[in-house]
Amino acid sequence: MSIASDLIRGHTETIILAHLISQDSYGYEINKAIQHKTAGQYELKEATLYTAFRRLEESGAITSYWGDEKSGARRRYYQITPRGRVTLARLKAEWETAKELIDTLVAEEDAPYAN
Amino acid sequence: MSIASDLIRGHTETIILAHLISQDSYGYEINKAIQHKTAGQYELKEATLYTAFRRLEESGAITSYWGDEKSGARRRYYQITPRGRVTLARLKAEWETAKELIDTLVAEEDAPYAN
DNA sequence: CAAAGATACCTTGACAGGCGATGTACCGTG
DNA sequence: CACGGTACATCGCCTGTCAAGGTATCTTTG
């Protein structure tokens, strides 16, 4: 993994919710999807993923149900709730804001702030 | 402060180093500059700022010296080192990478990853 | 001149999210 | 039947952030 986790910190829930917008999914698949989308540059650690699910479920952003797999390991599917959609919209807006702020702050300006 | 600190987390050192590229500076001024640049949308908390200075100095990215103010409170000035410049370049590159990754991951695609 | 506010630095302790390590259980393949 | 893949889950540590508190100096204001 090439990206420092502190840079992703705080985005875990956004990433999960964004994935659940298009379809119900389960932990293992979400993680595989992330690895796929980022060409292996990033993956959520399992512990991170499952604690995020707990938080999201507690806050009412997602609900879960067990899949009815005939074979293989059981899967706990997650579904985004209306409240979760609102949360996602807010998180995405915050990301846009934060992105601009950070871009501004890491730019090496020649005009320093005069006191 | 309108932006969740978890979104900025991990960028504190980058922000500080970026500021020190153009001029030596001290804690209070850096914080004021950040507030100014972001139009009050963001500020570093003092405790965060000073612990970041400690980390950066320990890692050799910055050095410090006391200013010789004739009046007013004493100021500890910080200066970026050659090593710090290398660090900053790396941190900025990581930010660019992370930004793209997160943009990719929070995008609500219609084409989910097929297992 | 006393009080208040701005400048400027610093430390302590708590908190929260990420994650390494570890465990469970099922399935297919060689 | 051992091994690797699928899939979920928990515990305890680590690290960065920050509220709260403290020190000291200077300027402004009533």
Side-chain angles (χ1 to χ4, degrees):
Chain A
M1 203 247 295
S2 47
I3 286 301
S5 48
D6 269 333
L7 298 193
I8 304 286
R9 190 185 174 112
H11 298 288
T12 305
E13 298 183 11
T14 315
I15 291 168
I16 291 171
L17 290 178
H19 185 86
L20 292 178
I21 275 286
S22 55
Q23 56 171 336
D24 289 10
S25 190
Y26 54 97
Y28 198 84
E29 185 186 51
I30 290 176
N31 212 7
K32 282 281 178 288
I34 288 169
Q35 291 172 39
H36 192 256
K37 280 185 187 174
T38 62
Q41 286 180 92
Y42 188 61
E43 58 166 332
L44 288 176
K45 298 304 179 303
E46 290 193 22
T48 303
L49 189 62
Y50 290 113
T51 53
F53 281 143
R54 295 294 153 269
R55 281 199 304 277
L56 286 167
E57 196 157 21
E58 267 175 52
S59 72
I62 60 175
T63 53
S64 67
Y65 56 91
W66 287 103
D68 60 343
E69 282 66 47
K70 311 290 191 261
S71 73
R74 63 194 179 151
R75 297 171 176 172
R76 183 194 284 274
Y77 281 86
Y78 294 95
Q79 183 174 48
I80 192 168
T81 65
R83 176 190 286 262
R85 290 171 191 274
V86 174
T87 301
L88 177 58
R90 199 196 70 238
L91 291 175
K92 288 180 71 172
E94 284 179 8
W95 161 235
E96 291 303 322
T97 305
K99 192 163 58 172
E100 279 169 39
L101 281 187
I102 296 168
D103 270 337
T104 300
L105 293 173
V106 305
E108 294 162 20
E109 287 177 37
D110 288 317
Y113 165 61
N115 196 27
Chain B
M1 202 251 294
S2 48
I3 283 302
S5 48
D6 269 337
L7 298 193
I8 305 286
R9 190 185 175 111
H11 298 288
T12 304
E13 299 184 11
T14 315
I15 291 167
I16 291 171
L17 290 177
H19 185 84
L20 291 178
I21 274 286
S22 55
Q23 57 173 335
D24 290 9
S25 191
Y26 55 97
Y28 199 84
E29 185 187 52
I30 290 176
N31 211 8
K32 281 281 177 287
I34 289 169
Q35 291 174 39
H36 192 254
K37 280 185 187 175
T38 63
Q41 287 181 90
Y42 189 61
E43 59 165 333
L44 287 176
K45 299 303 179 303
E46 288 193 22
T48 304
L49 189 61
Y50 290 112
T51 53
F53 281 144
R54 295 292 154 270
R55 281 198 304 278
L56 286 167
E57 195 156 22
E58 267 176 52
S59 72
I62 59 175
T63 53
S64 67
Y65 57 92
W66 288 103
D68 61 342
E69 282 68 44
K70 311 291 190 259
S71 73
R74 62 191 180 153
R75 298 171 175 171
R76 184 194 282 276
Y77 281 86
Y78 293 95
Q79 182 175 49
I80 191 168
T81 64
R83 178 190 285 264
R85 290 171 191 274
V86 174
T87 301
L88 177 58
R90 199 197 69 239
L91 291 175
K92 286 180 71 171
E94 284 179 9
W95 162 235
E96 290 303 322
T97 305
K99 191 164 58 172
E100 280 170 37
L101 283 186
I102 296 168
D103 270 337
T104 300
L105 292 173
V106 305
E108 293 162 19
E109 287 177 35
D110 288 319
Y113 166 60
N115 196 27

